[in-house]
């Protein structure tokens, strides 16, 4: 069974998907946190709630950046080890993995083939 389109094909993309799917990612919490921030930053909220909301926004943004860097480094290392002669552009592979990491696990296509915690 073939899922996904041309953007999902290739062993490097499969490796990137498996890396993302085998770990817990900050990105999956980002949208829920963004909703809380949106509600908490309303002008009708008390100043303390707005302050906490803004701090949460900063923590979420920083966490997403750090998580994206860690994902990119891991994928880069594994692709260089397993596919040294790859023609895949690494920047697009990193972006592919980061976009997958901010998608809710149940909504990812192709469906995850590994469980959280599995070795890749």
């Amino acid at each position: 069974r073939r899922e996904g389109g041309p953007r999902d094909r290739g062993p490097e993309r499969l490796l990137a998907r498996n890396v993302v799917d085998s770990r817990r990612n900050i990105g999956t919490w980002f949208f829920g946190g963004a909703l809380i921030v949106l509600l908490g930053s309303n002008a009708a909220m008390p100043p303390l709630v707005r302050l906490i909301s803004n701090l949460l926004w900063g923590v979420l943004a920083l966490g997403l950046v750090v998580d994206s860097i860690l994902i990119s480094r891991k994928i880069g290392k594994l692709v260089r080890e397993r596919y040294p002669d790859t023609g895949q552009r690494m920047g697009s592979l990193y972006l592919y993995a980061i976009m997958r990491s901010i998608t809710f696990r149940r909504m990812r296509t192709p469906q995850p083939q590994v469980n959280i915690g599995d070795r890749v």
Side-chain angles (χ1 to χ4, degrees), residues 32-94:
L35 180 62
I36 292 170
V37 167
L38 182 66
L39 296 173
S41 62
N42 187 336
M45 290 291 177
L48 180 62
V49 172
R50 289 196 315 254
L51 175 65
I52 291 171
S53 176
N54 286 332
L55 290 174
L56 176 62
W57 185 245
V59 168
L60 282 172
L62 182 63
L64 187 63
V65 168
V66 170
D67 197 38
S68 297
I69 290 169
L70 293 175
I71 288 170
S72 298
R73 289 180 62 180
K74 184 170 186 175
I75 289 171
K77 179 181 174 228
L78 290 174
V79 167
R80 282 189 295 278
E81 283 176 3
R82 297 181 189 179
Y83 308 104
D85 298 330
T86 185
Q88 180 74 44
R89 289 191 342 237
M90 296 307 286
S92 66
L93 191 61
Y94 298 154

Side-chain angles (χ1 to χ4, degrees), residues 2-14 17 88 96:
R2 249 192 134 91
E3 291 184 24
R7 75 178 178 117
D8 299 314
R9 292 195 186 124
E12 298 91 348
R13 298 281 170 132
L14 176 62
R17 285 196 303 274
Q88 180 74 44
Y96 176 77

